[in-house]
Amino acid sequence: MQTINTAKSLSEQCRQWHKEGLTIALVPTMGYYHAGHASLMDKARTLADKVVVSLFVNPTQFGPNEDYASYPRDIDRDTKIAAEHGADLLFAPEPSELYAPNASTWVEVPEMGSLLCGVTRPIHFRGVCTVCTKLFMLTQADYAVFGNKDWQQQAILRRMVRDLFYPVQIVGVPIVRAEDGLALSSRNVYLTEEERRQAPEIFRGLDYARQLVSQGETKASVLRDAVLRRWAAKLPLGRLDYLQVIDSENLTQLDQITVPASMACAVQMGKARLIDNIRLN
């Protein structure tokens, strides 16, 4: 596996692979790898001749009071994991490599980016779209692989790719969970012992809503109230950011389930902001 730190070298290598008739799958990550990241790399390995993994804690998707400085990092361990899971190239740049001092160009999908996580993280998806655009341009990837835990991010990137005619296919990979149901996240390391004990109730609440839908419930308000009652009893350390029933494609809030729907949430557990979602129908 190669490790490359400059945008120029990344672009040159990917152009060479394309000249040779090889396809490329890109796995954009911020590092501190767990089994969820490994599943993205494993999927990418099945899609293309070459796998590029980017390891970049993107400063533009963090707000001023968020955890950019403290976000967990372990590049040596991540390099080993990427190599073990079939990466041909690891792109690990410094921020100055992707953002010039006077950078002033942004890419965003404002309507979708202002929903759900975008309410409390207003610049987040602008940063995500901009850095992914840069990575798509540098690699000219045929496929880009993302985890379904970040469903809003994935839906926004699908819309961006559609609207701007990027020649890349967005591929989603199912959420990888711990045995007790907690969605794997690099930020899980922030949890205290008691927070970690309660955190699986996030998913159990969502799954309870899914069970109600399978029994015929279609009212979003009923589903939401049922989950909130459960969390009040079983997740006392959680502080709700949002819990919504949404159209799975365009992310708009639903009152009644008449289309493919999901329930999505963000819950603050101490220092960790945990997101999760589940398809309801």
Side-chain angles (χ1 to χ4, degrees):
M1 183 184 75
Q2 302 179 63
T3 298
I4 284 177
N5 306 111
T6 70
K8 183 174 184 291
S9 296
L10 174 65
S11 179
E12 289 173 349
Q13 177 62 84
C14 290
R15 283 203 308 271
Q16 180 59 41
W17 282 337
H18 277 309
K19 286 179 183 177
E20 295 169 9
L22 302 174
T23 54
I24 297 172
L26 170 68
V27 184
T29 80
M30 294 206 303
Y32 211 71
Y33 295 151
H34 49 66
H37 294 104
S39 74
L40 305 183
M41 300 174 203
D42 292 343
K43 179 64 175 180
R45 187 72 275 164
T46 72
L47 295 172
D49 301 307
K50 296 294 183 180
V51 174
V52 175
V53 176
S54 65
L55 197 172
F56 179 61
V57 183
N58 177 33
T60 66
Q61 67 190 66
F62 289 79
N65 298 314
E66 294 181 2
D67 59 341
Y68 174 70
S70 62
Y71 192 86
R73 294 163 169 86
D74 190 339
I75 190 167
D76 292 336
R77 177 176 167 274
D78 287 347
T79 299
K80 183 172 182 291
I81 292 172
E84 290 172 348
H85 287 271
D88 296 287
L89 188 157
L90 183 70
F91 177 52
E94 292 296 321
S96 59
E97 191 64 33
L98 289 184
Y99 295 99
N102 61 345
S104 56
T105 302
W106 301 99
V107 183
E108 58 184 326
V109 184
E111 183 175 334
M112 295 174 73
S114 65
L115 304 172
L116 303 172
C117 287
V119 174
T120 54
R121 306 187 74 192
I123 67 168
H124 175 70
F125 292 110
R126 183 185 74 170
V128 169
C129 289
T130 300
V131 78
C132 284
T133 291
K134 293 171 188 276
L135 293 171
F136 295 165
M137 297 294 287
L138 289 168
T139 62
Q140 295 294 299
D142 301 278
Y143 305 92
V145 185
F146 296 90
N148 289 351
K149 179 173 70 72
D150 300 292
W151 182 255
Q152 182 177 10
Q153 169 181 278
Q154 193 180 132
I156 289 171
L157 291 174
R158 289 182 189 277
R159 182 67 59 85
M160 179 186 81
V161 163
R162 186 203 73 176
D163 290 353
L164 297 180
F165 301 101
Y166 290 154
V168 61
Q169 179 179 335
I170 303 295
V171 178
V173 175
I175 299 171
V176 177
R177 300 184 181 277
E179 289 185 7
D180 56 13
L182 178 64
L184 297 189
S185 168
S186 299
R187 289 185 169 99
N188 288 353
V189 298
Y190 297 157
L191 297 171
T192 66
E193 184 176 340
E194 181 59 21
E195 289 164 354
R196 178 61 184 82
R197 188 187 69 77
Q198 292 184 23
E201 288 297 336
I202 297 173
F203 172 66
R204 291 170 191 158
L206 300 182
D207 191 53
Y208 179 54
R210 183 194 58 78
Q211 294 173 41
L212 293 176
V213 171
S214 71
Q215 295 164 12
E217 183 57 65
T218 61
K219 289 184 179 179
S221 60
V222 172
L223 298 171
R224 189 174 184 276
D225 288 346
V227 174
L228 291 176
R229 284 195 301 271
R230 181 186 176 99
W231 283 350
K234 298 178 177 292
L235 192 65
L237 293 179
R239 290 184 288 114
L240 184 67
D241 185 338
Y242 66 83
L243 174 68
Q244 291 185 17
V245 177
I246 58 170
D247 181 310
S248 298
E249 180 180 353
N250 63 32
L251 309 179
T252 55
Q253 191 168 343
L254 298 174
D255 295 323
Q256 196 88 17
I257 296 177
T258 57
V259 295
S262 300
M263 179 172 269
C265 70
V267 177
Q268 192 77 32
M269 299 286 293
K271 294 195 300 181
R273 183 179 182 275
L274 305 181
I275 61 172
D276 206 343
N277 68 85
I278 196 168
R279 287 295 292 264
L280 293 173
N281 58 349

